[in-house]
Amino acid sequence: MAKKPGYTLTQAYEAVSRDYDVLVIGGGNAALCAAMTARESGASVLMLEKSPAEFRGGNSRHARSVRYAHATGNDHVTGSYGENEFLEDLLRATGGETNEELARLCIRESMNLGDWMKARGCVFQPALHGARQLARANAFFLGGGKALLNSYYAAAEHMGVAVVYGAAVQDLVLEDGRFKSAVFTVKGHEHKISARAVVVASGGFQANPDLLAAYWGKAAKNFLVRGTPYDTGEVFQILVNHGVKTIGDLRQGPCVAVDARAPAMDGGIVSRLDCLPFGIVVNKRARRFYDEGEDLWPLRFGLWGRLVAMEDDQAAYALIDSKSIALSMPSVFPPIQADSIAEMAEKLGLDPAELQKTVAAFNAAVQEGTFDPAALDSCRTQGLEPAKTHWARPLDTPPFYGYPLRPGITFTCHGVAVNAEARMFFGEKASPNMFAAGEIMAGTLLGKGYLAGFGMTIGSVFGRIAGREAGSYGNQH
Ligand SMILES: Cc1cc2nc3c(=O)[nH]c(=O)nc-3n(C[C@H](O)[C@H](O)[C@H](O)COP(=O)(O)OP(=O)(O)OC[C@H]3O[C@@H](n4cnc5c(N)ncnc54)[C@H](O)[C@@H]3O)c2cc1C
């Protein structure tokens, strides 16, 4: 397989003194998929990961599952999930705000991705039980993203991909839309590395409060960052300064409602609250502001952080009653419990009279229906603004449970534009040797909204495309 000598992890420091065919910037899923693919094509590959080894893997180490197209079920997905259904789900989740050509490409290239992942060490857990669509569409990693990434790093090292940890890229040297070299620091020492091609897979800029504030204003100070503190967007900014074409709404990106008591960074999946569809959500004025039952949760959870971010002080409160407490995963922080709505209001710091009014109006608007937590059921409200269109049941069975919510930003979707070969653009001209994969180009496909498991699809598919193209360029030049 390897036609050129490779470099092991332990040799990485010596290795930075020489040139490479492909430089990969980043150390998450997209970077590893690109690095392994380029290396498998025979290219010599160096990966620069900003974090220390123990925190390697960016946001990817927090991920639980990947969504990919497949014709039949197997031990880790319950049935077929074809291209058309996948595309329909994506169009529904994004409200059609996606580059349909590249979305189709991404979905097609994800066909049987699970087999490719398994061949590089991924172990999936047995398929989820039940009729949930997620069990059919998404494969879950045994041990989570961290185990997946550990397997990938081991596979990459075995192939001869060189990795330097604690290596923060600070500058890029370009000439006429062509990558020449990168400047990076390790423990304060500056290094320069040349390569024939570069794949930028350095994530979004969600962990950079100044950049977030530039787009969100003072609201940004109330955001909690769910993932890695190392995705701070400096490589993206360097690319922008060099004139690389950008894409995506400055304020878009998956942002979920997390428990307000979660840590400011790196809280991971456990602080997400999935009970929202089964109760009501109110703002600081104790008023509802959005349809909690709009769609199945995997198609909507990525929207709720943004909705909370639009409310006063970026604060909201989820309320359920004892009928619904067992319907979603137990929360890491215990819910606030009360025997009446007025007591709940006191405990959450809301106006009791207002909250009672909101709950009474909601309860009065609930229509009879057949409750089904796993499907778009017939339980809805009538004559209420905003409506609750599914899973609407009166909040009438104490004890009541409440959670304070904050926007939990997952990743930003303002990034670089790419074509079907994952090449970045200068104006309308595609770069011959500069590629991007993962969160940094996700805005191409996620103009709005989010679809569970699609972050890993984008990184895997475009990582492999970028690795293939960069490897091929590196081999020929
Ligand atoms: C809590 C949480 C749960 C999630 N769950 C899922 C899920 O179940 N399924 C799913 O599909 N998606 C999930 N996601 C989203 C998913 O993790 C991301 O979309 C995906 O991992 C992005 O991969 P990436 O390689 O582009 O970025 P990352 O994995 O974030 O990698 C970026 C890398 O770039 C490095 N880097 C940054 N700046 C520099 C620099 N200057 N120099 C060198 N390196 C740099 C970082 O250290 C990091 O290693 C989740 C995200 C979070 C936060």
Side-chain angles (χ1 to χ4, degrees), residues 93-95 252-254 299-300 302-303 306 413 446-451:
T94 58
Q252 286 290 351
L299 300 177
R300 280 296 172 272
L303 189 74
R306 200 163 179 279
C413 277
L446 292 169
K448 196 178 96 179
Y450 184 62
L451 185 62

Side-chain angles (χ1 to χ4, degrees), residues 25-31 48-51 55-67 138 141 153 167-170 201-204 206 226-228 230-235 267-269 272 409-411 437-440 450-457 459:
I25 300 175
N29 177 56
L48 297 177
E49 160 62 305
K50 185 175 161 189
S51 83
F55 290 113
R56 69 185 181 185
N59 268 357
S60 307
R61 79 190 205 289
H62 285 297
R64 287 193 309 154
S65 74
V66 60
R67 184 178 291 252
N138 286 34
F141 320 128
Y153 271 103
V169 171
Q170 312 270 343
S202 52
Q206 61 280 353
R226 301 176 69 215
T228 179
Y230 295 98
D231 282 1
T232 43
E234 57 275 17
V235 185
I269 54 172
R272 190 176 100 194
I409 190 160
T410 315
F411 59 90
E439 282 174 5
I440 193 165
Y450 184 62
L451 185 62
F454 196 53
M456 294 297 279
T457 321

Side-chain angles (χ1 to χ4, degrees), residues 153-319:
Y153 271 103
E157 180 184 3
H158 183 71
M159 290 172 196
V161 171
V163 185
V164 184
Y165 296 105
V169 171
Q170 312 270 343
D171 203 5
L172 301 176
V173 180
L174 313 184
E175 232 177 73
D176 298 330
R178 192 181 288 267
F179 172 77
K180 292 301 214 186
S181 58
V183 178
F184 65 98
T185 54
V186 178
K187 293 191 171 145
H189 294 279
E190 196 171 280
H191 304 265
K192 192 170 186 179
I193 187 85
S194 302
R196 290 169 190 85
V198 69
V199 177
V200 181
S202 52
F205 56 80
Q206 61 280 353
N208 183 331
D210 293 338
L211 259 186
L212 274 190
Y215 303 136
W216 276 96
K218 62 181 171 46
K221 75 175 182 338
N222 289 324
F223 285 32
L224 301 176
V225 177
R226 301 176 69 215
T228 179
Y230 295 98
D231 282 1
T232 43
E234 57 275 17
V235 185
F236 171 55
Q237 280 188 298
I238 296 164
L239 292 169
V240 173
N241 293 341
H242 277 292
V244 167
K245 186 175 174 183
T246 61
I247 196 161
D249 187 322
L250 303 174
R251 283 173 150 220
Q252 286 290 351
C255 187
V256 311
V258 294
D259 197 307
R261 297 163 289 182
M265 296 238 183
D266 238 358
I269 54 172
V270 291
S271 61
R272 190 176 100 194
L273 290 168
D274 291 341
C275 61
L276 279 55
F278 305 123
I280 63 167
V281 181
V282 298
N283 58 21
K284 281 194 112 169
R285 288 173 291 133
R287 308 246 175 92
R288 291 180 57 248
F289 52 91
Y290 199 81
D291 176 3
E292 302 88 347
E294 187 179 41
D295 210 334
L296 293 168
W297 195 232
L299 300 177
R300 280 296 172 272
F301 74 96
L303 189 74
W304 269 91
R306 200 163 179 279
L307 294 172
V308 175
M310 312 291 270
E311 294 300 313
D312 292 348
D313 296 336
Q314 295 66 54
Y317 306 85
L319 246 68

Side-chain angles (χ1 to χ4, degrees), residues 345-360:
E346 297 279 1
K347 286 186 167 170
L348 293 175
L350 300 172
D351 180 333
E354 275 301 322
L355 188 62
Q356 281 174 309
K357 207 165 102 192
T358 296
V359 172

